[in-house]
Amino acid sequence: MRTVLYPGSFDPITVGHLEMIQRAAALFDRVVVAVMHNPNKPSGAFAVDERIRLIETAADALANVTVIAASGLLVDVCRGAGATAVVRGLREMQDVPEELQMARLNRQIGGVETLFLASSPGVSHISASRVREIGRLGGDIRGMVPERVLDRVRRRLAPDAST
Ligand code: PNS
């Protein structure tokens, strides 16, 4: 059985993330979505448990997708999940330098291969950080997060949200 790991912050899941999950699920027997802490990003807007629930709801139709919380080195998470490779989405050229560095380092320290999927042009301008910004300022995030979780994300980011 071929398992691929799809790691990320997912704070929150976007339509771009969901596209990657769907495409990875069509290519591999099993996809493990790993919600990870990115040491280069400030602590999340959504709690890890919340992010997991949002991804599970958004990807509910995909029987071969599992969502986990993970920390530490990506190569160790891969080993633990039985994944032979990592999948990452490329949106724009500015994603490339950092993604190449991570891919090369992960191969060097753990023999883990990274497969890049080019995101669809229709979603390549969307990022979780912009979703958070727009949602927090009261803008419309429809079309940026999966429809099934839109209301939950909207409520959570709304300027008057209590938590
Ligand atoms: O969605 P993101 O924030 O771009 O995901 C980045 C993530 C979580 C995949 C990356 O920060 C990561 O791999 N973190 C684990 C730490 C690690 O293994 N670092 C060394 C590899 S370069």
Side-chain angles (χ1 to χ4, degrees), residues 7-10 17 34 36-41 71-75 88 98-99 101-103 105-106 109:
S9 306
F10 306 106
H17 293 137
M36 297 189 67
H37 170 65
N38 182 340
N40 301 317
K41 289 184 180 173
S71 57
L73 282 177
L74 188 67
V75 293
R88 292 284 287 173
E98 196 184 344
E99 291 297 335
Q101 184 190 41
M102 288 197 293
L105 287 169
N106 286 328
I109 65 175

Side-chain angles (χ1 to χ4, degrees), residues 90-100 124:
L90 288 179
R91 292 169 303 184
E92 307 287 356
M93 290 309 287
Q94 59 260 35
D95 287 341
V96 171
E98 196 184 344
E99 291 297 335
L100 279 184
S124 60

Side-chain angles (χ1 to χ4, degrees), residues 27 60 63 68 74-75 83 86 91 99 106 119 122 129 138 145 149:
L27 289 170
D60 188 37
I68 61 167
L74 188 67
V75 293
V86 164
R91 292 169 303 184
E99 291 297 335
N106 286 328
S119 69
S129 59
V145 300
V149 300

Side-chain angles (χ1 to χ4, degrees), residues 3-162:
T3 299
V4 75
L5 194 93
Y6 179 44
S9 306
F10 306 106
D11 187 30
I13 183 171
T14 67
V15 289
H17 293 137
L18 182 59
E19 181 195 29
M20 290 302 136
I21 295 170
Q22 289 165 334
R23 287 167 59 185
L27 289 170
F28 286 83
D29 299 314
R30 186 167 157 258
V31 179
V32 177
V33 181
V35 178
M36 297 189 67
H37 170 65
N38 182 340
N40 301 317
K41 289 184 180 173
S43 65
F46 290 77
V48 168
D49 283 359
E50 234 176 327
R51 298 184 212 174
I52 290 175
R53 282 197 297 274
L54 291 172
I55 300 168
E56 284 173 344
T57 303
D60 188 37
L62 301 166
N64 59 341
V65 173
T66 311
V67 190
I68 61 167
S71 57
L73 282 177
L74 188 67
V75 293
D76 292 333
V77 179
C78 282
R79 213 170 290 128
T84 47
V86 164
V87 70
R88 292 284 287 173
L90 288 179
R91 292 169 303 184
E92 307 287 356
M93 290 309 287
Q94 59 260 35
D95 287 341
V96 171
E98 196 184 344
E99 291 297 335
L100 279 184
Q101 184 190 41
M102 288 197 293
R104 289 178 174 134
L105 287 169
N106 286 328
R107 187 155 181 266
Q108 181 175 340
I109 65 175
V112 169
E113 294 285 5
T114 300
L115 304 175
F116 294 112
L117 296 180
S119 69
S120 297
V123 301
S124 60
H125 59 298
I126 293 166
S127 67
S129 59
R130 292 299 182 195
V131 166
R132 293 195 301 273
E133 181 180 307
I134 293 167
R136 279 171 167 159
L137 295 171
D140 188 3
I141 57 167
R142 181 180 289 279
M144 298 177 200
V145 300
E147 195 64 30
R148 297 198 63 183
V149 300
L150 176 62
D151 284 343
R152 267 149 72 187
V153 174
R154 222 181 224 161
R155 276 199 304 274
R156 185 69 183 66
L157 291 174
D160 58 353
S162 53

